[in-house]
Amino acid sequence: MEVKIIPFSDKYASHFMDLNLAWLKKYFYVEDHDKEVLENAKAYIIDKGGFIFFALVDNEVAGTVALMNEEEGFELSKMAVDPKFQGKKIGQQLMQFCINFARKKDWDELIIYSSTIL
């Protein structure tokens, strides 16, 4: 299975929202701010100097991740993989892509926060 990782495109914006809402609903709950960010990802992430990437398998969105430009640095955030693609190491490929991307940008570090539930 070949995974292609591409940068943000408006045509995939709804996938970014849907994939992230799905895991939030499954493991936590969706706060108003979460919904606002996910519905307006370009304004909240891209336009603020961040990045969003999509993992495609046969031109189908299998997963997504964001690098959010925060005051303390870039935060790896909003990573989600479609349940039908889980267990195929797509999350690992997205993570490695972000690490390599950060290296190419000469960033000293990436910030990641997680929950013990995940």
Side-chain angles (χ1 to χ4, degrees):
M1 173 181 64
E2 183 182 345
V3 177
K4 181 179 179 184
I5 299 177
I6 63 165
F8 180 83
S9 167
D10 286 328
K11 80 180 202 177
Y12 296 123
S14 65
H15 294 280
F16 181 78
M17 180 181 68
D18 294 342
L19 287 170
N20 277 287
L21 285 174
W23 74 261
L24 282 170
K25 288 176 183 174
K26 181 176 180 177
Y27 295 105
F28 304 100
Y29 56 92
V30 180
E31 296 179 10
D32 290 339
H33 180 69
D34 293 324
K35 193 170 182 190
E36 176 72 18
V37 169
L38 295 172
E39 287 178 345
N40 301 288
K42 188 170 184 301
Y44 276 93
I45 300 171
I46 303 292
D47 293 347
K48 293 185 176 186
F51 303 88
I52 296 174
F53 301 102
F54 295 97
L56 302 181
V57 174
D58 295 327
N59 292 319
E60 183 177 355
V61 175
T64 189
V65 66
L67 292 172
M68 297 180 68
N69 188 4
E70 302 291 347
E71 189 173 309
E72 61 275 8
F74 281 88
E75 177 188 351
L76 192 145
S77 183
K78 311 287 188 251
M79 183 187 295
V81 175
D82 186 305
K84 80 178 195 178
F85 290 102
Q86 290 177 0
K88 300 180 186 311
K89 301 189 186 268
I90 291 171
Q92 288 178 345
Q93 290 180 58
L94 285 166
M95 176 73 77
Q96 189 61 55
F97 179 88
C98 289
I99 291 168
N100 293 341
F101 183 83
R103 285 182 178 142
K104 288 177 189 172
K105 294 279 192 186
D106 286 328
W107 298 344
D108 292 330
E109 64 183 11
L110 284 175
I111 301 163
I112 185 167
Y113 299 102
S114 189
S115 166
T116 56
I117 293 170
L118 302 174

